[in-house]
């Protein structure tokens, strides 16, 4: 991880540091587990105290959805479970779960949106396929926050 990337986590400008997949990579780099790090107690550094402010989770409850096909390979394949947060809007090139007006769920990679359409990649044609979905055909768009490998 670059120092610039870590700085974005520290300032809260990049979310996802506590996603399970990110925790696994970070703890693997330290040859530890999240439990090992929770047991480790270091003296507080000046200016690093929380000053009694509790951690507040931003969006709604996390939901899980297993992928049943390889439409998003290599981003996600059959058997991968995606975690997503209803109410959290995705960033460009981030996975998203789209609940359609008819109740169907689509997992895609977000590109952009305007007042009338949502542009995503993925689906039966693979990641190279762009799909434009009318906003009136969608109920909610949610950001994928983790991909859990089987």
């Amino acid at each position: 991880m670059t120092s610039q990337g870590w700085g974005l986590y520290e300032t809260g400008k990049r979310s996802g540091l506590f996603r399970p997949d990110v925790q696994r990579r970070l703890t693997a780099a330290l040859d530890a587990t999240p439990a090992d790090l929770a047991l480790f107690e270091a003296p507080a550094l000046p200016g690093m105290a929380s000053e009694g402010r509790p951690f507040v989770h931003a969006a709604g409850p996390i939901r899980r959805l297993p992928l049943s096909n390889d439409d998003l390979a290599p981003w996600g394949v059959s058997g991968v479970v995606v975690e997503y947060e209803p109410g959290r809007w995705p960033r460009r090139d981030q996975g998203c779960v789209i609940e359609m007006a008819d109740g169907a769920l689509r997992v895609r990679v977000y590109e952009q949106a305007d007042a009338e359409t949502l542009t995503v990649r993925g689906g039966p044609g693979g990641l190279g396929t762009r799909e434009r979905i009318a906003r009136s055909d969608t109920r909610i768009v949610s950001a994928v926050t983790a991909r859990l490998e089987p």
Side-chain angles (χ1 to χ4, degrees):
M1 175 177 290
T2 66
S3 61
Q4 180 182 14
W6 187 255
L8 292 173
Y9 282 123
E10 287 179 336
T11 59
K13 293 179 181 174
R14 178 181 285 173
S15 62
L17 183 60
F18 296 101
R19 293 184 344 219
D21 60 317
V22 173
Q23 284 185 2
R24 280 193 301 272
R25 290 195 309 260
L26 289 172
T27 54
L30 297 171
D31 195 28
T33 67
D36 294 335
L37 297 179
L39 295 174
F40 180 78
E41 291 184 10
L45 298 173
M48 296 298 288
S50 70
E51 299 175 7
R53 292 176 289 173
F55 174 75
V56 178
H57 190 61
I62 293 175
R63 296 186 185 164
R64 289 185 173 185
L65 179 67
L67 298 181
S68 59
N69 57 47
D70 293 336
D71 289 350
L72 297 173
W75 182 86
V77 295
S78 182
V80 168
V81 175
V82 293
E83 287 186 346
Y84 65 99
E85 290 188 55
R88 178 178 284 188
W89 192 260
R91 297 181 316 272
R92 183 175 177 84
D93 296 323
Q94 182 178 12
C96 65
V97 176
I98 306 162
E99 183 180 338
M100 303 301 291
D102 65 2
L105 294 176
R106 294 185 189 177
V107 181
R108 301 290 191 265
V109 175
Y110 175 80
E111 277 201 357
Q112 64 183 19
D114 58 31
E116 297 175 7
T117 60
L118 175 69
T119 305
V120 293
R121 291 191 329 259
L127 279 178
T129 304
R130 280 199 173 80
E131 181 179 8
R132 292 176 55 101
I133 302 170
R135 295 284 293 265
S136 59
D137 291 341
T138 66
R139 190 174 295 152
I140 188 167
V141 178
S142 306
V144 169
T145 56
R147 291 177 295 203
L148 309 174
E149 303 292 328

